[in-house]
Amino acid sequence: MPPSGSSSRRATVHDVAAAAGVSRGTVSRVINGGYVSPRARAAIEAAIAEVGYVPNTAARNLVTQRSQAVGFVVLEPHVLFLEDPNIGAIMLGANATLSDADYQMVNLVVDSERDTQRVSRYLSGGFVDGVIIVSARTHDPIIRVLAQVGIPAAFVGHPRDLDRGIPFVGIDNTGSARLITERLMATGRRRIGMIAAAVDRDSGADRVDGFRAALGPRFDPDLVAEVPLYDYSWGAKGMRSLLEREPAIDGVFAGSDALAAGALEVLREAGLSVPRDVGVVGFDDSAWAVRTQPQLSTIHQPAAKLGAQAADLVLRQLRGEPYASEGILLPTPIVWRGSA
Amino acid sequence: MPPSGSSSRRATVHDVAAAAGVSRGTVSRVINGGYVSPRARAAIEAAIAEVGYVPNTAARNLVTQRSQAVGFVVLEPHVLFLEDPNIGAIMLGANATLSDADYQMVNLVVDSERDTQRVSRYLSGGFVDGVIIVSARTHDPIIRVLAQVGIPAAFVGHPRDLDRGIPFVGIDNTGSARLITERLMATGRRRIGMIAAAVDRDSGADRVDGFRAALGPRFDPDLVAEVPLYDYSWGAKGMRSLLEREPAIDGVFAGSDALAAGALEVLREAGLSVPRDVGVVGFDDSAWAVRTQPQLSTIHQPAAKLGAQAADLVLRQLRGEPYASEGILLPTPIVWRGSA
C-alpha cells in the first residue's frame, strides 16, 4: 500500500517496465503469459508488486464488450434488506448460479434518490452485462432505464403490470395464501383474522386476496389488521389490534413468519395458548419459523431457487438461448408444524 | 428488450447514427451535451431508445483510470451474512458515505472457493477504485491480492495481526466485554457464565479475554460455554450447557444479542425469572435487544458508523488526503435495559 497521496493514480505497464529495467513489450509478454527469461520474469513480478500495477481487465472487456458481471439490485425500503429473511437467500441463490457460469455478481444498494440515479447510470454504463431486480414494483425510475438500454434483465417478484418484456420468477401469492388459510379453517377455527403487511404492493395485496377467497362469505374486513412492514414488532402491533377488535379470535394468518412471531408473543402475554386457543400460520418458512414456540405452520417460499432461476433467465439472454419470457412461478408447499 | 438471441452485442454510436439518419458526430454531440437542432435531437433520442444504445461510461473511465466504484466484501461464512444484524447496518453506513461522494458501492458476495478467485480478479481488474473488507481475518487469499495490487482498502474489524498497511476501523472487543461484565457483577451476581461464539476469531477471543479480566480470580473456565456461531439457536444450546454445569448460575454474558435471546428462551423454559433469578447481558444493541422480554442490557456496537468510517478511509486514500493509517477504534457505550 503506497502512503497517502500517491495512490490516486493507477500504475501502468510503463511504470512496471521502468521499475524492472525492461521494455514494455517484455512486461506485456509476462502479463499475457508469453515467454521471457526467468530472471526478467522475477524482476517484472517484483516490479508489479512494487508499483501496484493492476492488469487492465476492464480494457480487455471493452474489446469483447463484456464485463462478465451481473448486477443484483433490491428495490425495497432498506429496512427490508436488513430484516427480510428472504433477500439474503435470494442473493446467495443468484450468486451460486452466476458463479457457476463464472460471472461476478455485483450487489448495488439503493437507499436514496441519489442512489437511484447513480445505480441507473451504472447499469447503463457498461459495467454489468445484465441485472437481477428484486422488487414487485414496476414504477421505479431504474426499471425505465432498463427498458431503454435493453440490458438483459430478470425480476424476482411477480409484478401485475409488468409489460416491458422483462421476464420474472416469482410465486403465486394469492394461491399460496388461499391454500394455507383453507388448511387453517380445516382445523375447525371459527373467527380467523389476518395480519397483512405492505398491502400497497402486489405481493401484500395478493395475500389478502387469497385470504378473502378462502373465507368466502365468512370474510370479515374488520378482521384484517394492516401494518406497513413484514417485521416482528409490526406483527405484535397487528395482533394487539386484532385482539381488541375480536377477543374471541381463534385463528390468525400472518403475512410473514416474522409477523407471526410477533403475534405469538402478544398471544402469550394475553394468556392465550397456541395452538389450543388460537391457531397461527405464517408465510415464508424462514429462520423465524423454527425459532418460535411452538414452531410455525407456514408456506415455504423457495428463496434460493428464486434467485437461481432469475440468474438463469439473465444468463440465457446473454447466451442467446431461449427463455421463459412470460415468467416463471415456483411451487410453494405448505410446511405444517405446531402453531396450528 | 430485444428478443432472445439478439441481445449479445451492444449497440454502438454507429447503430444510433444509422437509425436516426444522421452522422456519428451529431450523435456524439447529443451524448456529450453539445448543440444540435431540436429535430435531430429528437430523432437521435428516439434512435438511442430503439437500438438500446448504452453510453460507454466504462470507456470514458479508462481514460480517467477511475471506475468511480468501491467494492464491499464480507469475508465471513455466508450464514453470517444472513444472520448477523450488524453486517446490513455496516453496509448501509458505508453506502451512505460513498453515495455522498458520488461513488457507486458494489457489494461482492464470497460464498465459495470459486468466488474467492473471481472476486480477487475483479478487485484487481480495474472495476473498482477501492475496497472495504468486513472481516477479522487477515489470512484470506483476497487480502494477499489487495496487498499486491495496492488498491486503496480499509477493514471493518480489528484483526490483531494486520501488518500489511491496510487501515481498519473497529471496536475494542476486550474492553467492551470487560466493561459490561463488570456492570453485571455490580448487580450482585455470584456465579457468572459466558456464552462465547466464534472464539477462533479475534473478535470472539477478545470478548472472552475481557470477560476473564473482569472476573479476575473469580473466573471459572468451566463457566464458558463455547458455541460456533452468533445465533439464537446456539445461544439456547449454550445456555442449556451452562445450566447443566452450574444450576445455581445467576449471571450470563452472551457474546451477542442473538445468543442472549436464545439464552432467555431456555431460562424461561427452566422456570427461571430474568433478571430476578438470572441477570443476562448481550453485545451489539441490535434489533434483537428490543425484541426480547425483558429487553436486553447490552453493548452498543456502532455498526453504521463502522461502515461510514471505513468508506471515509478509502475515500481519503483515493483523494490523497491524510488518513489514520494505524486504524480507528469507535466507542461502544453500555445500553442498560431490563435483562440485568
Side-chain angles (χ1 to χ4, degrees):
Chain A
M1 171 90 8
S4 77
S6 71
S7 60
S8 55
R9 187 183 72 83
R10 269 227 168 98
T12 65
V13 171
H14 194 84
D15 299 327
V16 175
V22 300
S23 73
R24 283 176 56 180
T26 310
V27 175
S28 291
R29 278 205 300 284
V30 167
I31 290 164
N32 297 315
Y35 176 78
V36 296
S37 75
R39 194 171 160 191
R41 177 177 297 276
I44 289 165
E45 284 174 354
I48 284 174
E50 186 193 324
V51 305
Y53 172 68
V54 177
N56 209 331
T57 312
R60 279 203 294 276
N61 288 334
L62 276 176
V63 177
T64 60
Q65 300 207 320
R66 285 294 177 95
S67 69
Q68 206 67 15
V70 169
F72 182 93
V73 183
V74 180
L75 297 181
E76 299 288 350
H78 77 254
V79 64
L80 266 189
F81 199 84
L82 305 184
E83 291 285 337
D84 189 322
N86 293 310
I87 290 179
I90 291 169
M91 193 173 75
L92 291 176
N95 183 63
T97 296
L98 293 172
S99 184
D100 281 349
D102 206 28
Y103 272 81
Q104 177 63 46
M105 186 175 86
V106 300
N107 184 353
L108 308 169
V109 174
V110 180
D111 188 33
S112 70
E113 199 54 43
R114 189 200 285 255
D115 288 352
T116 301
Q117 291 166 24
R118 208 190 42 254
V119 167
S120 293
R121 233 160 57 215
Y122 192 85
L123 292 178
S124 59
F127 295 102
V128 293
D129 298 334
V131 62
I132 295 164
I133 307 267
V134 181
S135 176
R137 296 172 305 176
T138 54
H139 311 303
D140 197 283
I142 289 179
I143 314 288
R144 285 204 305 275
V145 170
L146 290 184
Q148 271 175 4
V149 302
I151 185 174
F155 266 98
V156 177
H158 183 190
R160 280 182 185 152
D161 58 346
L162 201 63
D163 59 354
R164 298 179 194 272
I166 300 176
F168 71 86
V169 51
I171 60 165
D172 177 2
N173 281 291
T174 310
S176 304
R178 180 176 183 151
L179 215 65
I180 192 127
T181 306
E182 285 170 349
R183 179 74 186 261
L184 179 61
M185 291 163 73
T187 66
R189 311 293 169 174
R190 315 291 307 169
R191 291 292 281 161
I192 300 181
M194 175 173 179
I195 304 171
V199 293
D200 57 331
R201 265 172 284 156
D202 288 342
S203 56
D206 286 351
R207 292 178 198 183
V208 180
D209 285 350
F211 175 71
R212 186 167 52 191
L215 286 169
R218 289 166 57 191
F219 175 73
D220 176 354
D222 203 43
L223 288 192
V224 176
E226 290 187 9
V227 298
L229 294 174
Y230 289 110
D231 114 337
Y232 179 95
S233 59
W234 282 107
K237 282 175 197 146
M239 190 65 238
R240 276 189 209 104
S241 166
L242 285 178
L243 279 173
E244 275 165 29
R245 300 184 205 178
E246 176 53 278
I249 195 165
D250 63 358
V252 176
F253 167 41
S256 82
D257 293 345
L259 292 173
L264 288 186
E265 187 63 36
V266 167
L267 289 168
R268 178 169 26 229
E269 284 168 19
L272 291 164
S273 168
V274 173
R276 200 193 56 203
D277 303 325
V278 184
V280 176
V281 295
F283 202 106
D284 282 344
D285 194 26
S286 69
W288 280 106
V290 290
R291 274 178 188 166
T292 56
Q293 277 294 342
Q295 294 187 337
L296 293 174
S297 296
T298 189
I299 286 282
H300 179 73
Q301 170 133 236
K305 275 188 200 147
L306 288 169
Q309 290 276 334
D312 185 62
L313 283 171
V314 171
L315 290 172
R316 282 175 174 278
Q317 292 173 66
L318 287 171
R319 293 175 185 139
E321 293 169 6
Y323 61 92
S325 58
E326 72 289 356
I328 299 166
L329 289 180
L330 297 184
T332 50
I334 286 180
V335 182
W336 207 251
R337 297 194 182 91
S339 66
Chain B
M1 171 85 14
S4 76
S6 72
S7 60
S8 56
R9 188 182 74 83
R10 276 234 161 89
T12 64
V13 171
H14 194 84
D15 300 326
V16 175
V22 299
S23 73
R24 284 176 56 180
T26 311
V27 176
S28 290
R29 279 203 301 283
V30 167
I31 290 164
N32 297 316
Y35 175 79
V36 296
S37 75
R39 193 169 157 194
R41 178 177 295 277
I44 289 164
E45 284 174 354
I48 284 173
E50 186 194 324
V51 306
Y53 172 69
V54 178
N56 209 331
T57 313
R60 279 204 294 277
N61 288 333
L62 276 176
V63 176
T64 60
Q65 301 208 319
R66 283 294 177 96
S67 68
Q68 207 66 16
V70 169
F72 183 92
V73 184
V74 179
L75 296 181
E76 299 287 351
H78 78 253
V79 63
L80 266 191
F81 198 85
L82 305 184
E83 291 285 336
D84 189 322
N86 292 309
I87 290 179
I90 292 169
M91 195 173 75
L92 291 175
N95 184 62
T97 295
L98 293 172
S99 185
D100 280 350
D102 205 29
Y103 272 82
Q104 177 63 48
M105 185 174 87
V106 300
N107 184 354
L108 309 170
V109 174
V110 180
D111 187 35
S112 69
E113 198 53 44
R114 190 202 286 256
D115 287 353
T116 301
Q117 291 167 23
R118 208 191 41 254
V119 167
S120 293
R121 232 161 56 214
Y122 192 85
L123 292 177
S124 59
F127 296 101
V128 294
D129 298 334
V131 62
I132 296 165
I133 307 268
V134 180
S135 177
R137 295 172 306 174
T138 54
H139 311 303
D140 197 283
I142 290 180
I143 313 288
R144 284 203 307 274
V145 170
L146 290 185
Q148 271 177 3
V149 302
I151 185 173
F155 267 97
V156 177
H158 183 190
R160 279 179 184 154
D161 57 346
L162 202 64
D163 57 355
R164 300 179 192 273
I166 300 176
F168 72 87
V169 51
I171 61 165
D172 176 2
N173 281 291
T174 309
S176 304
R178 179 177 183 151
L179 216 64
I180 192 128
T181 305
E182 285 170 351
R183 179 75 185 262
L184 179 61
M185 291 165 73
T187 65
R189 311 292 170 175
R190 314 293 306 170
R191 289 293 281 161
I192 300 180
M194 175 174 181
I195 303 172
V199 295
D200 56 331
R201 266 173 282 157
D202 287 344
S203 56
D206 286 352
R207 291 176 199 184
V208 180
D209 285 351
F211 175 72
R212 185 167 52 192
L215 285 168
R218 289 166 58 192
F219 175 73
D220 176 356
D222 203 42
L223 288 192
V224 177
E226 291 186 9
V227 297
L229 295 174
Y230 288 109
D231 112 339
Y232 178 96
S233 61
W234 282 107
K237 282 177 197 146
M239 191 65 237
R240 276 190 209 105
S241 166
L242 286 178
L243 278 173
E244 274 167 29
R245 301 183 204 177
E246 175 55 278
I249 195 165
D250 64 358
V252 175
F253 166 41
S256 83
D257 292 346
L259 292 173
L264 288 186
E265 186 63 36
V266 167
L267 290 168
R268 180 172 21 231
E269 283 169 18
L272 292 163
S273 168
V274 173
R276 199 193 58 205
D277 303 324
V278 184
V280 176
V281 296
F283 202 105
D284 283 342
D285 195 25
S286 69
W288 281 106
V290 290
R291 275 178 187 164
T292 55
Q293 278 295 342
Q295 295 187 335
L296 294 173
S297 296
T298 188
I299 285 283
H300 179 73
Q301 170 133 235
K305 275 189 201 146
L306 288 169
Q309 290 276 336
D312 186 63
L313 283 171
V314 171
L315 291 172
R316 284 175 173 275
Q317 292 174 65
L318 287 171
R319 294 176 185 136
E321 292 169 9
Y323 62 92
S325 58
E326 71 291 355
I328 300 165
L329 289 181
L330 297 184
T332 49
I334 286 179
V335 182
W336 206 251
R337 297 195 181 91
S339 67

